[in-house]
Amino acid sequence: MKKELLTVFIIAIAFLIPQQAIAKKPVKIGVLVPLSGIAAQGGMELRDGIIMAAKEKKTLLGRPIKLVVEDTRVKPDIAVSKAEKLVFKDGCKALIGVFSSGVGLALAKNIDRLHVPFLSTHVMTTKFYGLHKYVFRSGQLANDQTAIGNVKGILATPELRNRTYYVLVHDYAWGHDGGNRFVSLAKKYGIKVYNPNYDKAPLKTTDWSTYISKIKASGVDGIYIVLITTVIPVFVKQASEFGLQKTCKIVSGAAPGVTELEAAGKNGVGIYGASDWCWDVDNPISNAWEQRYWNMYHAIPSDAACHAYVGAMNLFRGIERAGSTDADKIAQALKGVAYLGPYGIVYISPKDNCMRNDAVWTETRMAPSNPYGAKVYMKVIHTFNAAELGPPE
């Protein structure tokens, strides 16, 4: 009898140990961000926001979270290859991040083969709306939301609304989409645009003097830029050297990040734009998040990091809501998921898999005394509610 009981006990232990080991295996999430190339600074900020969220969340489904980070270099083919490695070799159950619309669209094109949910924290192209059951956005405003915010901001700001705008964009999917959205809305609301077909600058552009000369020669008194934020310090420095900012106001289709503003210095003052968040947002959740970010990174709280943090929290909520790492269950659970964070409730619409949230209209100014040592900051002028920016539910 004792032998029989001992045998049963040994079998039970042998069965339980593998189950306990499986239960403690981490939930792996693939993080795709540019860590080299033109958008490296933005990519590092996205990565840091996602890492911060994972450290605070700690576990999913009772298991530790393991982030596996890969550098996309802002190249669609490399991003797809890295995604394949994350899914098929590393065993990641979801993908998050991505800075570029071109990269985001390339991943979406391959998502059936990858067969995991993909949540972007930065892609702004309007093509992401309802693109695929596995493709989601919870991050920076989309191009239509940004354009609506910028047009509303221009109309509400006396020194902006009667100007004629020269439109300059980066020559790829995001830039074209952002330019088209602004031009269309400007026409609808009576804002004058000098060049409705807009100028398209190659991504490799480092000398902006040719474009700045054209803008100056046109006689306009406003500029609408849809440029990757890392080039903004160079653009505004050269614009200042040409004396352009003495006569022109700049509105941006992408808010310059904190690092870009510090690099631009006084040349970066006077840029207007709509964005989800900046560290001038004043509410208890935002203020507490800023302090935690500072404690972790000893850096100026970054809007890109904040968007990524909130996007990661929404992804984590989706996984927990699904109660599983099954792709279809997570994708279904992400529809309608919401997170209350630094810029209010961020809700992923089941209608199109893209977020709705409040946002701010800002102007860059020299910073008042602040605990982060920032010299230039985005001053909140107005807060838009989610319904104002759409799309309608």
Side-chain angles (χ1 to χ4, degrees), residues 60-363:
L60 285 173
L61 309 176
R63 297 156 57 184
I65 301 168
K66 181 175 181 180
L67 302 178
V68 187
V69 182
E70 290 290 347
D71 179 10
T72 67
R73 294 166 54 189
V74 206
K75 295 182 183 294
D77 56 338
I78 290 175
V80 171
S81 177
K82 294 294 181 69
E84 291 170 344
K85 180 255 183 189
L86 288 169
V87 173
F88 301 130
K89 182 179 179 182
D90 297 322
C92 292
K93 300 302 182 181
L95 301 174
I96 189 171
V98 180
F99 185 89
S100 154
S101 291
V103 168
L105 291 171
L107 288 174
K109 188 176 179 180
N110 288 274
I111 203 68
D112 279 322
R113 186 166 51 82
L114 293 167
H115 196 70
V116 293
F118 160 42
L119 184 146
S120 171
T121 63
H122 204 80
V123 167
M124 297 172 70
T125 177
T126 52
K127 291 181 180 179
F128 253 50
Y129 287 116
L131 184 58
H132 191 282
K133 68 176 183 177
Y134 287 164
V135 176
F136 298 83
R137 170 169 45 221
S138 176
Q140 175 60 293
L141 296 175
N143 282 330
D144 58 328
Q145 295 168 322
T146 300
I148 290 169
N150 283 346
V151 165
K152 284 178 177 285
I154 288 169
L155 293 173
T157 307
E159 65 174 350
L160 296 179
R161 64 174 171 241
N162 294 318
R163 293 176 182 262
T164 300
Y165 289 86
Y166 195 106
V167 182
L168 173 64
V169 312
H170 260 135
D171 190 12
Y172 79 111
W174 167 69
H176 299 172
D177 191 25
N180 290 335
R181 293 285 169 174
F182 174 72
V183 170
S184 176
L185 282 173
K187 182 178 180 181
K188 179 179 178 180
Y189 288 99
I191 296 170
K192 290 175 282 188
V193 174
Y194 175 83
N195 57 334
N197 292 323
Y198 50 85
D199 281 14
K200 306 172 187 69
L203 281 171
K204 294 182 179 179
T205 302
T206 56
D207 182 357
W208 295 92
S209 57
T210 300
Y211 298 99
I212 292 168
S213 295
K214 287 176 68 178
I215 295 169
K216 192 164 186 178
S218 73
V220 301
D221 52 5
I223 309 168
Y224 191 87
I225 56 173
V226 189
L227 304 177
I228 290 176
T229 56
T230 48
V231 310
I232 289 178
V234 179
F235 178 82
V236 295
K237 180 178 184 295
Q238 292 185 338
S240 179
E241 290 169 352
F242 277 72
L244 198 59
Q245 286 151 301
K246 293 178 181 177
T247 57
C248 289
K249 292 292 183 181
I250 299 174
V251 179
S252 180
V258 292
T259 305
E260 287 82 20
L261 287 178
E262 293 302 294
K266 64 181 181 179
N267 294 322
V269 169
I271 301 173
Y272 293 83
S275 181
D276 283 326
W277 179 88
C278 62
W279 61 259
D280 191 45
V281 170
D282 187 12
N283 67 58
I285 296 176
S286 180
N287 296 341
W289 186 89
E290 291 168 24
Q291 186 60 56
R292 298 198 309 276
Y293 185 89
W294 171 259
N295 291 343
M296 185 172 292
Y297 296 114
H298 295 287
I300 303 167
S302 155
D303 55 324
C306 189
H307 303 156
Y309 173 94
V310 171
M313 285 300 192
N314 261 333
L315 176 60
F316 299 157
R317 286 201 162 198
I319 293 170
E320 290 199 322
R321 195 178 179 191
S324 168
T325 57
D326 176 79
D328 289 314
K329 290 180 180 178
I330 295 172
Q332 187 60 39
L334 281 169
K335 292 178 178 292
V337 78
Y339 177 73
L340 176 60
Y343 45 102
I345 294 174
V346 179
Y347 164 75
I348 297 180
S349 172
K351 175 183 175 182
D352 52 35
N353 288 5
C354 291
M355 86 288 176
R356 308 290 193 274
N357 54 259
D358 295 350
V360 290
W361 167 251
T362 66
E363 179 190 6

